[in-house]
Amino acid sequence: MPSGAAGAGDASGVAGRASAGGASGGASTTATAPLPRWINGWRDFTESWYFAPLTGFALTIAALAELAPGTRTPISVAGGFAVASTLPLVWRREYLRPVAAVALAAFAASLLTGQEVLITTVLAALYTLYALARQLPRQSAGALAVGSVATVAVVYLATDTLGDVPWPAAVVAVLAAIGLGDARRTVERAGRTEAAAEERNNETLTRLNAVQREQAVMRERARIARELHDVVAHSVSMIAVQAETAPYTMESLSPEAREGYTEIARTAREALVEMRRLLGVLRADAGAEAESAPQPRLDRLPELVDQHQGAGGRADLVVQGQPRALSTTVELSAYRIVQEALTNARRHAPGADVHIELTYLPDRLAVRVRDEGAEARTVVLNRADTPGRTAALEPENAPSGGGHGLLGMKERATMLGGRFSAGHAESGGFVVEAELPLTREDPARDPGTPH
C-alpha cells in the first residue's frame, strides 16, 4: 500500500476506533456488528510498518519472475524498467509522491519504448494511481486523471505496445483506479469528521452534566439555607429573647439564676451569629434563591387556595379537629405538601375540583389532598412504598417551593417520621395523603422570623 494510502488507512482506523469508542461510551446509539477476526487481522497487518517494504519487494520479485520464462532475462532493459516500476513502492509510506513519480514514469517509458507488458507492472501502476488519488485533493486527483488518460492516448498513438488491450478498457482501468482512490479519501474524511463531531458532542454533554450537577448542588444549598434560617434561627432567637426577658418578669430570681439566664442569652446569640455565618457560606453560590424571607405556615393555606383559584383551578379547604400551634417544621412541611399537590393538580388535572382536608389529631397532623381527576393524566411512577398504587410523576423543574414533586413530599414526611402515600383514588382522581407526627413541644405561633 502506498504511503498516502497507508496514512489514510491509519486515519480511517483511528476514526473507526473513535466511533466505536463513542458508541461504547454511551454517546452514540448506533450499534454495529463485530467484524470477523480475519478482517481485523488484515487491518492490523496493513497498518504495520513492515507492510509497505514487504509488498514492495514482493512486487519486484514477482515482476522479475514474470520476465524469466520469456525471451528476455531479468538483467536487461525490460528488467530494469520492471524494477524501476515496482521497487520504489518499498518507500511509498514515507515518500509517496516521489515514489509515484518514479514508478509511473518508468512504467510509461517502458510502454513508449515497446518493452514487454507485464501484469505485475500494470497492477503496480494502477495501484500507484489509486494510492496517489487517495492522498491528493479532489482538484489534484482530477488533474491526475486527465494526465493519465492523455498518457494512455499517447501510448496508443505512438506505439503498438498495448495493441492487444482495447483502448476503452485501458481508459476505464485508469479512471477506475483514480476514482476508487478519491472515493476512499472521501469516506475516510467523512469518518474523521464524524468522529471529531462525536468527540465534541461527548465533551459538550460532559460539560452540560457537570453544570447541571453544580446547579443542583447550588439549589440544594439554597434550600438548606432557607430552611435552617426559618426553622432553627427562629427557635434560637426565641431562646435568646426569653432568656433576656426572664430576669425582668421574675423579680424573685436569685443572682445565680439571673447570671444563668444571661449566660443562656449570650450563648444563644453567639450560636445565632455562627449559624448565620454558616448560612452565608451556603448562600454564596445560590444567587437570587438565597433570600431570608420567613417560610410560610398553615395560617397561609387560605392564601394558597386563593392563588390556586386565581390560576383557574377550583379548591376547597376543610379543617377538622381543634386547630392549635404546631412546631415550625411540621407546619412548613404540611404547607409544602399541600402546595406541591395543588401544583400537580393544576398540571395534570387542569380545571378539576380539589379537596384539601387538614385534620388535627392528638399525636399527629393528617393532610389529604384529592382532585376529581381529568381525562388526560401524565406518565405514572410505581412506588415501592405504596404497593399497588401509582403516582403521577412531576417534572423536576416544577415551579413549586422546595421539593421535587412527589419525591419532595415523601422526603418531608419521612424526615419527621411520618407516612406518605400518593395514587389514584378509588372514587376517581388522584389523592395525596400524609401524616406528620407532632413534636414533644409545640412552640407558640410567631408571625415572622427574626433576622
Side-chain angles (χ1 to χ4, degrees), residues 144 232 245 270 282 292 335 342 393 426:
L144 177 65
V232 182
T245 57
E270 291 178 356
L282 291 176
S292 58
Y335 181 92
L342 289 177
L393 179 61
E426 297 179 357

Side-chain angles (χ1 to χ4, degrees), residues 131-436:
L132 200 57
R134 188 176 174 184
Q135 188 184 72
L136 295 175
R138 178 65 56 83
Q139 294 81 0
S140 300
L144 177 65
V146 172
S148 300
V149 172
T151 302
V152 171
V154 170
V155 170
Y156 272 97
L157 293 176
T159 66
D160 194 29
T161 306
L162 298 177
D164 296 336
V165 181
W167 68 267
V171 172
V172 169
V174 169
L175 294 180
I178 297 175
L180 285 175
D182 184 71
R184 182 65 182 274
R185 177 188 57 80
T186 302
V187 170
E188 290 171 350
R189 175 177 294 181
R192 291 192 295 269
T193 302
E194 182 180 358
E198 185 174 359
E199 184 176 357
R200 288 194 299 270
N201 290 338
N202 290 340
E203 293 177 355
T204 302
L205 289 175
T206 301
R207 289 194 297 267
L208 181 59
N209 291 335
V211 170
Q212 289 177 344
R213 287 194 297 267
E214 183 178 355
Q215 290 178 347
V217 171
M218 291 166 57
R219 289 194 297 268
E220 185 64 16
R221 291 174 66 176
R223 186 188 69 82
I224 293 173
R226 284 198 308 269
E227 303 242 353
L228 279 176
H229 183 276
D230 295 320
V231 176
V232 182
H234 169 76
S235 302
V236 176
S237 298
M238 289 298 298
I239 293 173
V241 171
Q242 292 178 2
E244 288 176 347
T245 57
Y248 301 97
T249 58
M250 293 181 289
E251 299 179 354
S252 60
L253 286 178
S254 63
E256 292 79 6
R258 290 178 181 273
E259 183 179 353
Y261 276 115
T262 302
E263 183 65 21
I264 292 173
R266 185 185 64 81
T267 304
R269 292 297 182 187
E270 291 178 356
L272 193 60
V273 171
E274 292 296 329
M275 188 190 66
R276 284 175 175 169
R277 184 178 297 127
L278 174 61
L279 297 184
V281 175
L282 291 176
R283 290 168 175 162
D285 299 325
E289 292 191 18
E291 75 279 358
S292 58
Q295 294 285 3
R297 302 181 68 163
L298 292 180
D299 56 356
R300 294 182 57 184
L301 279 182
E303 298 178 12
L304 188 62
V305 173
D306 293 339
Q307 292 175 3
H308 178 77
Q309 293 174 345
R314 292 177 294 179
D316 59 78
L317 173 62
V318 177
V319 179
Q320 300 177 355
Q322 181 62 39
R324 60 188 184 276
L326 305 178
S327 67
T328 306
T329 306
V330 172
E331 293 202 13
L332 175 61
S333 298
Y335 181 92
R336 291 305 190 197
I337 289 174
V338 174
Q339 185 182 41
E340 296 279 3
L342 289 177
T343 301
N344 283 346
R346 286 196 301 271
R347 179 175 294 109
H348 306 308
D353 291 334
V354 182
H355 307 287
I356 306 170
E357 297 179 6
L358 203 65
T359 305
Y360 288 86
L361 299 173
D363 59 342
R364 64 190 182 279
L365 176 67
V367 181
R368 188 174 189 270
V369 182
R370 183 178 69 86
D371 64 70
E372 298 293 344
E375 295 181 358
R377 300 295 291 182
T378 57
V379 181
V380 297
L381 168 70
N382 292 326
R383 297 189 62 84
D385 58 333
T386 55
R389 311 187 71 171
T390 55
L393 179 61
E394 182 186 8
E396 290 188 359
N397 58 352
S400 55
H404 296 287
L406 295 172
L407 296 180
M409 299 186 216
K410 182 175 182 294
E411 288 176 357
R412 290 185 179 276
T414 55
M415 178 182 65
L416 300 175
R419 294 187 300 170
F420 174 81
S421 64
H424 294 289
E426 297 179 357
S427 58
F430 198 79
V431 62
V432 172
E433 297 177 326
E435 292 185 356
L436 309 178

